[in-house]
Amino acid sequence: MNSIFKAAVAGTGAYVPEKVLTNKDLEKSLDTSDEWITTRTGIKERRIAADNESASTMAAVAARQALESAEVSPDEVDMIIVCTSTPDVLFPSTACFVQKELQAFNSAAYDISAVCSGFVFGLSIAEQYLKAGRYENILVIGSEANSRIVDWSDRSTCILFGDGAGAVLLKRVEQKESIGVLSTHIYSDGSLSDLIVVPGAIGKAGVNKKDIDDKNYFIKMSGNATFKVAVKRMSNVILEALEYNNLKIDDVDHLIPHQANQRIVSAVAEKLNFPEEKIIMTIQKYGNTSAASIPIGFEDAKRAGKIKPGDISVLGVVGAGLTWGSAVIKW
Ligand code: COA
């Protein structure tokens, strides 16, 4: 459908907790080493939410920054989409807590669950509402308190994840404007749902002793199999985005990928012939912050002066589900 409108990023924000957990710290409690974690993942440290922090509190800080940078007031927000796999509670949605914190009571607020792909899924949903002309201002927030769902005795998963939040204020603009979200592509394949899962059967069997004993309320992952699938799906969906927009690698100023593993990103870059210097990486500082990793990347790159008006960024994500997707943004 041709539309006279499109979505544009009018403001960004990000928040990471103060507490830093380094690889060296992990050496004290796990049979691991800074050297192993750095060479296998690129991660040096990650942030851990304080006891009084959660997905909603971190999301609210990031969202407030996004509103301020877009010069939009909370009562002008039409919709709040929080992308999270670590909601404060099963219900109500984390987005409703964010709405309350922001006093943004003219909005519809809800969460979506697409795990590490969540932010691009949220972006895609928001894009449709803005293109259709239905709404004017939508907050899309990725926020995760991953430290609450990792098994801190499982060295193959706990070293990977960190906490944090990132947000964008998406604004409806006319097609003729030069800035905007140029495309979003999102996909899922539920036949791969066993690759990364928190299997605790709250909805199927309620909280039960067996799931507690089996540590099923924590992340379980087949790291190796996930790695291979991630490289393939992320590369293909980025290529699809470039082709859709008639862009060549040279036309793109940055690749902003989901930060799951430095080696996944390097393998994708090699497959696509994408120059490493154009890739925005934050994994060394924050680990894998799931749905927050892309908008944290925006803010980090902006603060470092790497994103300038007119630049084109391609985003690529993959996560549990399996879910994957891409988007192209002109700043
Ligand atoms: N420290 C030291 N050794 C570790 C370790 C750690 N933190 N974690 C695992 N190992 C060991 C394993 O036990 C294994 O030992 P073994 O050979 O004696 O059995 C060895 O290291 C190799 O394990 P393997 O799982 O093959 O390593 P890998 O190179 O695949 O790296 C991951 C593991 C998890 C870092 C990697 O598979 C990965 O990043 N996968 C993708 C995960 C992901 O991105 N998930 C989120 C997607 S959104």
Side-chain angles (χ1 to χ4, degrees):
M1 180 190 72
N2 285 331
S3 164
I4 56 166
F5 299 116
K6 62 182 171 181
V9 179
T12 59
Y15 172 80
V16 290
E18 248 174 58
K19 186 180 171 194
V20 177
L21 183 70
T22 66
N23 294 346
K24 285 273 173 209
D25 295 329
L26 287 170
E27 283 179 359
K28 292 175 200 150
S29 55
L30 289 170
D31 179 14
T32 190
S33 65
D34 175 40
E35 201 264 331
W36 193 96
I37 301 172
T38 307
T39 52
R40 298 289 180 119
T41 71
I43 300 165
K44 293 299 279 183
E45 56 189 45
R46 68 286 292 142
R47 300 298 178 98
I48 305 295
D51 290 347
N52 63 351
E53 291 181 313
S54 65
S56 76
T57 68
M58 295 187 287
V61 179
R64 203 168 270 128
Q65 282 175 25
L67 289 177
E68 277 166 17
S69 72
E71 297 181 358
V72 167
S73 69
D75 57 10
E76 292 175 290
V77 176
D78 301 304
M79 182 176 278
I80 302 173
I81 303 174
V82 174
C83 318
T84 187
S85 317
T86 49
D88 290 16
V89 293
L90 209 48
F91 68 80
S93 69
T94 303
C96 283
F97 296 127
V98 174
Q99 184 204 47
K100 181 175 153 195
E101 183 60 32
L102 298 176
Q103 303 274 297
F105 293 117
N106 295 323
S107 60
Y110 58 95
D111 293 355
I112 62 146
S113 166
V115 201
C116 296
S117 305
F119 183 77
V120 167
F121 276 59
L123 197 69
S124 189
I125 295 167
E127 184 198 15
Q128 310 315 314
Y129 277 103
L130 295 168
K131 259 186 176 167
R134 176 80 196 270
Y135 290 129
E136 204 171 324
N137 293 303
I138 301 184
L139 270 172
V140 181
I141 310 165
S143 186
E144 303 283 10
N146 285 321
S147 61
R148 307 262 157 80
I149 59 158
V150 297
D151 173 0
W152 287 103
S153 66
D154 176 5
R155 67 176 183 174
S156 67
T157 53
C158 75
I159 55 135
L160 296 170
F161 294 96
D163 300 337
V168 293
L169 189 283
L170 285 181
K171 214 173 185 38
R172 184 180 73 204
V173 297
E174 293 196 8
Q175 278 291 354
K176 61 176 193 259
E177 296 277 340
S178 68
I179 59 167
V181 176
L182 305 187
S183 67
T184 57
H185 289 88
I186 55 172
Y187 297 99
S188 307
D189 181 354
S191 71
L192 297 172
S193 54
D194 286 345
L195 285 181
I196 320 171
V197 58
V198 178
I202 294 179
K204 283 199 289 192
V207 176
N208 61 83
K209 186 164 180 321
K210 183 170 186 325
D211 276 329
I212 293 172
D213 291 346
D214 293 347
K215 296 192 170 178
N216 279 343
Y217 297 112
F218 297 116
I219 299 173
K220 311 263 185 193
M221 184 175 72
S222 306
N224 235 294
T226 305
F227 193 104
K228 287 177 199 143
V229 172
V231 172
K232 196 167 165 202
R233 305 285 164 115
M234 212 203 273
S235 311
N236 288 348
V237 79
I238 289 171
L239 269 183
E240 183 176 5
L242 296 178
E243 278 166 23
Y244 180 86
N245 291 290
N246 283 320
L247 291 170
K248 291 190 280 305
I249 299 280
D250 281 352
D251 302 323
V252 177
D253 297 288
H254 341 91
L255 169 61
I256 308 182
H258 171 51
Q259 311 279 307
N261 185 320
Q262 172 72 57
R263 288 189 300 135
I264 292 179
V265 176
S266 297
V268 169
E270 199 179 310
K271 258 180 131 159
L272 301 178
N273 249 328
F274 206 98
E276 292 266 351
E277 65 274 12
K278 285 187 175 183
I279 305 175
I280 305 295
M281 291 303 297
T282 59
I283 195 167
Q284 63 287 0
K285 298 188 281 188
Y286 306 133
N288 179 350
T289 56
S290 302
S293 87
I294 296 266
I296 286 176
F298 291 164
E299 191 59 16
D300 212 70
K302 278 184 132 184
R303 286 180 196 171
K306 289 184 189 164
I307 296 180
K308 300 177 294 304
D311 279 359
I312 292 178
S313 299
V314 60
L315 322 180
V317 290
V318 63
L322 196 80
T323 53
W324 67 101
S326 59
V328 177
I329 293 177
K330 188 159 183 199
W331 298 94

